[in-house]
Amino acid sequence: MDIRIPVGTWIKSFFDWLEDSFSWFFEGLREVLIWMFDAVDWVFATPPALVVIALVAFGALLARGWRFAVGSVVGLLFIMSVNQWDNAIDSLALVLVAAFLAVAISIPLGIWAARNDTVSKIVKPVMDFLQTLPAFVYLIPALALFRVGVAPGIIATLIFAMAPGVRLTELGIRGVDKEVVEAGQAFGAHPRRILRQIQIPLAMPSIMAGINQIIMLSLSMVVIAGLVGARGLGGDVAQAISALNVGLGFEAGLSVVVLAILLDRFTASFGKGLGLYSRWRKSYVAKKEAEEQARFDAEIIEVGGPRRSPGGGAG
Amino acid sequence: MNDDTIALRAEGLYKVFGRHADEAVIQLHRGTPRDELPSGTTAAVIDASFEVRSGEIFVVMGLSGSGKSTLIRMLNGLHDATAGSVEVAGERITDIPAKRLREIRQKRISMVFQHFALLPHRTVLDNVAYGLEIQGMPLDERVARARKVTEIVGLKGWEEKHPAELSGGMQQRVGLARALAADTDVLLMDEAFSALDPLIRREMQDQLLELQAELGKTIIFITHDLNEAMYIGDRIAVMRDGRIVQIGSPEDILTNPANDYVEQFVQDVDRTKVLTAESVMRKPRAVVHVGAGPRAALTTMRDEQLAGAYVVNKDRTIVGWVRDRDVFDLVRRGEKDLAPVIQADHGAVATDTALADLFIPSLEAALPLGVLDGRSRLVGVIPRVTLLAALGGEPEAAATATPRPDPLPAEVVDKVLGAAVGARAAEPKEAV
């Protein structure tokens, strides 16, 4: 009756084996991750806070318009005023590195899964597993393999955040109108070209939603990563928990919220044609088209046939 | 058969989805009906063989689920054939390397899709140029060509718009332009006009016929709409449950349906638009040579129990028609020449006149409506009863229906014929 399957022992010995056999690999990875984190951190931490805020506000104006710009200035000033600026920058750097890596892994994986049923059948349960396993549990082997610091935080965040990227990419590509893909095939396009010119562009909204989700999940993981000594807002939250410091906890927590809203709105605006930039672009394209058409009409009159000068680019 | 004139040939094509496809083909070949195949195995196309001649519009018609969409997708290799072969311009495209297949798709065979399948993120012009882009044509050249084709399909001024800004009919014009721009000999059209509303559909059909007459493309057109098939098709293949049940001209299919299924199918067709005078006309019975004289004419009319007759020259070209009462008078007067009573307004129609256009002439004509061939020879007549029988969809009835004659009573005619013989000497006195 008393059956005890020693799963824990097996997994432990597996990770021990990993640690013993591939410690050189994990050491190297740790160095790379720390270097990436420092690089991003340096970019945001070096200029004075107000300069960064001004730049973010300008970016917000281009991406979504003046309301978002005002909102981001208010939010960032709040972070500054509760003395969480440096922590916020650390967290931001961690999120950006983890999210970048998660995107770099999950999108190709999603594309592969979309094009190959076997891969899809393997990837799906793995992603279910990664997403449902309590996030804290990742931290334990990550700590063992990467030691305390930023690296285990990034790895745990990356694994936790990857799943929606893979899923939404696969879903997006599989959801592309079958007839349009057939059209590519019917005109003799190479599968790679169909992927590049038809499937990825048409799956873009879904892929962008995946990237957005990756970033949001990364941010939620940042706090947990604070427990393993990753610097940033998470560290303060962890400290506040252990000291039952409500004030500090909320200051750091609200800063996370501000960061989350900013990142969400930025990533959600990609490719949606909001903000100043897309308005400029639209008027530029329209003007160029009008010029092209005028030149083309003029040529028809001159040459008496639809010929184009070699200098004329595409519309 | 001369291979030059065959644009596309399909031989023994099978498409079976599911496991054990090859076994299923063998079973089907032996004659197992398709619904007796093991579950999980679906035969979409069964033993399809046909040839499409260069410059022809070949329509594949069938209800949904008849396998027509699968069939057309095998013709350019979008679906691999489970068995059988497809040749395009004499080159086999089944079981060839993917690279060669792509080349053939680029150069020989293009496609128009039911739901247009345009690239929504590209402008009309870039969509039209898509095939050329894949062929590797330089930018300037392909833009110029795309502009030209866009203009041909009537979309000048819309080049820089995106597909979403266009109506359905216009979007399909882009789809058509994209296929035309690729400049392939063969054009596959998969229910190309089915998603359009009826008025636009008719307009597109007319445009397709015009373009085809101008460019001489070979078109394979899939549709579930028999009227459409009849309207644009040179030849029609009717599909049912994966099999081709009949291949023939629209008139063939209407007048000689191969089986009950086709017959049921064609019941709803507007026959008056498909059938032509030629397909319902009957042998002209009362025909009189212009030099035959009144007596011969009257005898013919009496024998055939007709109230009038067409008058033709020796080579059967039409001169006009005569009424029996007029000829009767001539005979009574002992005249030798038919000419004075020949009426020129014979109202005959050409062989390719649609049934729909026969009603008014038929009403106006005093005799069964005459049918003339290209050289004005009288090749047939259409009595009104035949016209009505043809509408009813019963070819046999059309052939056997007898017109109701309204001739002079035979005794009267006999009397005057006899009297004329006896009274020949006295003829001048008999003048009225």
Side-chain angles (χ1 to χ4, degrees), chain A residues 15 129-144 152-153 155-157 159-161 217 220-229 234 237-238 241:
Chain A
F15 277 111
F129 176 82
L130 291 182
Q131 223 177 359
T132 45
L133 193 71
F136 286 96
V137 180
Y138 297 132
L139 286 176
I140 308 165
L143 257 179
I155 290 292
T157 306
I159 290 174
F160 181 69
L217 282 181
S220 73
M221 191 66 187
V222 152
V223 175
I224 298 170
L227 290 175
V228 292
V237 171
I241 290 172

Coordinates of all heavy atoms in Angstrom, one line a residue, chain A residues 15 129-144 152-153 155-157 159-161 217 220-229 234 237-238 241:
Chain A
F15 N 19.4 17.1 -11.6 CA 20.0 18.4 -11.6 C 21.4 18.4 -11.0 O 22.3 19.1 -11.5 CB 19.1 19.4 -10.7 CG 18.0 20.0 -11.5 CD1 16.7 19.6 -11.3 CD2 18.2 20.9 -12.5 CE1 15.6 20.1 -12.0 CE2 17.2 21.4 -13.3 CZ 15.9 21.0 -13.0
F129 N 3.3 22.6 -19.1 CA 4.1 22.2 -17.9 C 4.8 23.5 -17.4 O 4.7 23.8 -16.2 CB 5.1 21.2 -18.3 CG 6.0 20.8 -17.2 CD1 5.6 19.9 -16.2 CD2 7.3 21.3 -17.1 CE1 6.5 19.6 -15.2 CE2 8.1 21.0 -16.1 CZ 7.8 20.1 -15.1
L130 N 5.5 24.2 -18.3 CA 6.2 25.4 -17.9 C 5.3 26.4 -17.3 O 5.7 27.1 -16.3 CB 7.0 25.9 -19.0 CG 8.1 25.1 -19.6 CD1 8.8 25.8 -20.7 CD2 9.1 24.8 -18.5
Q131 N 4.1 26.5 -17.8 CA 3.3 27.6 -17.4 C 2.5 27.3 -16.1 O 2.2 28.2 -15.3 CB 2.2 27.9 -18.5 CG 2.1 29.4 -18.7 CD 1.1 29.7 -19.8 OE1 0.5 28.8 -20.5 NE2 0.9 31.0 -20.1
T132 N 2.3 26.1 -15.8 CA 1.5 25.7 -14.6 C 2.4 25.4 -13.4 O 1.9 25.5 -12.3 CB 0.5 24.6 -14.9 OG1 1.3 23.5 -15.6 CG2 -0.6 25.0 -15.7
L133 N 3.6 25.0 -13.7 CA 4.5 24.7 -12.5 C 4.6 26.0 -11.7 O 5.0 27.0 -12.3 CB 5.8 24.2 -13.1 CG 6.7 23.6 -12.0 CD1 6.2 22.2 -11.6 CD2 8.1 23.4 -12.6
P134 N 4.4 26.0 -10.4 CA 4.5 27.2 -9.7 C 5.9 27.9 -9.9 O 6.9 27.2 -9.9 CB 4.4 26.8 -8.2 CG 3.7 25.5 -8.3 CD 4.0 24.9 -9.6
A135 N 5.8 29.2 -10.1 CA 7.0 29.9 -10.6 C 8.2 29.8 -9.6 O 9.3 29.7 -10.0 CB 6.7 31.4 -10.8
F136 N 7.8 29.7 -8.3 CA 8.9 29.6 -7.3 C 9.7 28.3 -7.5 O 10.9 28.3 -7.2 CB 8.3 29.5 -5.9 CG 7.7 30.8 -5.4 CD1 6.4 31.1 -5.5 CD2 8.6 31.7 -4.8 CE1 5.9 32.3 -5.1 CE2 8.1 32.9 -4.3 CZ 6.8 33.3 -4.5
V137 N 9.1 27.3 -8.0 CA 9.8 26.0 -8.2 C 10.9 26.1 -9.1 O 12.0 25.5 -9.0 CB 8.8 24.9 -8.6 CG1 9.5 23.6 -8.7 CG2 7.7 24.8 -7.5
Y138 N 10.8 27.0 -10.2 CA 11.9 27.1 -11.1 C 13.2 27.7 -10.4 O 14.3 27.4 -10.7 CB 11.7 28.2 -12.2 CG 10.5 27.9 -13.1 CD1 9.6 28.8 -13.3 CD2 10.5 26.7 -13.7 CE1 8.6 28.6 -14.2 CE2 9.4 26.4 -14.6 CZ 8.5 27.4 -14.8 OH 7.5 27.1 -15.7
L139 N 12.9 28.5 -9.4 CA 14.0 29.2 -8.8 C 15.0 28.3 -8.1 O 16.2 28.6 -8.1 CB 13.4 30.2 -7.7 CG 12.7 31.4 -8.3 CD1 12.1 32.3 -7.2 CD2 13.7 32.3 -9.1
I140 N 14.4 27.2 -7.6 CA 15.3 26.3 -6.8 C 16.5 25.7 -7.7 O 17.6 26.0 -7.4 CB 14.5 25.2 -6.1 CG1 13.3 25.8 -5.4 CG2 15.4 24.3 -5.2 CD1 12.3 24.8 -5.0
P141 N 16.1 25.0 -8.8 CA 17.3 24.6 -9.6 C 18.0 25.7 -10.3 O 19.2 25.6 -10.4 CB 16.6 23.7 -10.7 CG 15.2 24.1 -10.7 CD 14.8 24.6 -9.3
A142 N 17.3 26.8 -10.6 CA 18.0 28.0 -11.2 C 19.1 28.5 -10.2 O 20.2 28.8 -10.6 CB 17.0 29.1 -11.5
L143 N 18.7 28.5 -8.9 CA 19.7 28.9 -7.9 C 20.9 28.0 -7.9 O 22.0 28.4 -7.8 CB 19.0 29.0 -6.6 CG 18.6 30.3 -6.0 CD1 17.9 30.1 -4.7 CD2 19.8 31.2 -5.9
A144 N 20.5 26.7 -7.9 CA 21.6 25.7 -7.8 C 22.5 25.8 -9.0 O 23.7 25.7 -8.8 CB 20.9 24.3 -7.7
P152 N 20.0 33.6 -12.2 CA 18.8 32.7 -11.9 C 17.5 33.5 -12.1 O 16.5 32.9 -12.6 CB 19.0 32.3 -10.5 CG 19.9 33.2 -9.9 CD 20.8 33.8 -11.0
G153 N 17.5 34.7 -11.7 CA 16.2 35.5 -11.9 C 15.9 35.6 -13.4 O 14.7 35.4 -13.8
I155 N 16.8 33.6 -15.8 CA 16.5 32.2 -16.4 C 15.1 31.8 -16.0 O 14.2 31.4 -16.8 CB 17.5 31.2 -15.9 CG1 18.8 31.4 -16.6 CG2 17.0 29.8 -16.2 CD1 18.9 31.2 -18.0
A156 N 14.7 32.0 -14.7 CA 13.4 31.7 -14.2 C 12.4 32.5 -14.9 O 11.3 32.0 -15.3 CB 13.3 31.8 -12.7
T157 N 12.6 33.8 -15.1 CA 11.7 34.7 -15.7 C 11.5 34.3 -17.2 O 10.3 34.2 -17.7 CB 12.2 36.1 -15.7 OG1 12.5 36.5 -14.4 CG2 11.2 37.1 -16.3
I159 N 11.9 31.3 -18.6 CA 11.2 30.1 -18.8 C 9.7 30.3 -18.5 O 8.8 29.8 -19.3 CB 11.8 29.0 -17.9 CG1 13.2 28.6 -18.4 CG2 10.9 27.8 -17.8 CD1 13.9 27.7 -17.4
F160 N 9.4 31.1 -17.5 CA 8.0 31.3 -17.1 C 7.3 32.1 -18.2 O 6.1 31.8 -18.5 CB 8.0 32.1 -15.8 CG 6.7 32.4 -15.3 CD1 5.8 31.3 -14.8 CD2 6.2 33.7 -15.3 CE1 4.6 31.6 -14.4 CE2 4.9 33.9 -14.8 CZ 4.1 32.9 -14.3
A161 N 8.0 33.0 -18.8 CA 7.3 34.0 -19.7 C 7.2 33.4 -21.2 O 6.5 34.0 -22.0 CB 8.0 35.3 -19.7
L217 N 4.4 39.0 -18.4 CA 4.7 37.9 -17.5 C 6.1 38.1 -16.9 O 6.3 37.7 -15.7 CB 4.6 36.6 -18.2 CG 3.2 36.0 -18.4 CD1 3.3 34.7 -19.2 CD2 2.5 35.9 -17.1
S220 N 5.9 40.3 -14.0 CA 5.3 39.7 -12.8 C 6.3 38.8 -12.1 O 6.2 38.6 -10.9 CB 4.0 39.0 -13.2 OG 4.3 37.8 -13.8
M221 N 7.2 38.3 -12.9 CA 8.2 37.3 -12.4 C 9.3 38.1 -11.7 O 10.0 37.5 -10.8 CB 8.7 36.5 -13.5 CG 9.5 35.3 -13.1 SD 8.5 34.1 -12.3 CE 9.8 32.9 -11.8
V222 N 9.5 39.3 -12.0 CA 10.6 40.1 -11.5 C 10.6 40.2 -10.0 O 11.6 40.1 -9.3 CB 10.5 41.6 -12.1 CG1 11.1 42.6 -11.1 CG2 11.2 41.6 -13.4
V223 N 9.3 40.3 -9.4 CA 9.2 40.4 -8.0 C 9.7 39.1 -7.3 O 10.4 39.0 -6.3 CB 7.7 40.6 -7.6 CG1 7.6 40.6 -6.1 CG2 7.3 42.0 -8.2
I224 N 9.3 38.0 -8.0 CA 9.7 36.7 -7.4 C 11.2 36.5 -7.6 O 11.9 36.0 -6.7 CB 9.0 35.5 -8.2 CG1 7.5 35.7 -8.0 CG2 9.4 34.2 -7.7 CD1 6.6 34.8 -8.8
A225 N 11.8 37.0 -8.7 CA 13.2 36.9 -8.9 C 14.0 37.7 -7.8 O 15.1 37.4 -7.4 CB 13.6 37.5 -10.2
G226 N 13.3 38.7 -7.1 CA 13.9 39.4 -6.1 C 14.3 38.5 -4.9 O 15.2 38.8 -4.2
L227 N 13.5 37.4 -4.7 CA 13.8 36.5 -3.7 C 15.2 35.8 -3.8 O 15.7 35.4 -2.8 CB 12.7 35.4 -3.6 CG 11.3 35.8 -3.2 CD1 10.3 34.7 -3.4 CD2 11.3 36.3 -1.8
V228 N 15.6 35.7 -5.0 CA 16.9 35.0 -5.2 C 18.1 36.0 -5.4 O 19.1 35.6 -6.0 CB 16.9 34.0 -6.4 CG1 16.0 32.9 -6.1 CG2 16.5 34.7 -7.7
G229 N 17.8 37.2 -5.0 CA 18.9 38.1 -5.0 C 19.1 38.9 -6.2 O 20.1 39.6 -6.4
G234 N 11.9 43.9 -7.0 CA 11.6 42.7 -6.3 C 12.3 42.5 -5.0 O 11.8 42.0 -4.0
V237 N 10.5 44.4 -2.4 CA 9.3 43.8 -2.0 C 9.6 42.6 -1.1 O 9.0 42.5 0.0 CB 8.5 43.3 -3.3 CG1 7.3 42.4 -2.8 CG2 8.0 44.4 -4.1
A238 N 10.6 41.8 -1.5 CA 11.0 40.7 -0.6 C 11.4 41.2 0.8 O 11.0 40.6 1.8 CB 12.1 39.9 -1.3
I241 N 8.4 42.2 2.7 CA 7.6 41.1 3.3 C 8.3 40.6 4.6 O 7.6 40.4 5.6 CB 7.6 39.9 2.2 CG1 6.7 40.3 1.1 CG2 7.0 38.6 2.9 CD1 6.8 39.3 -0.1

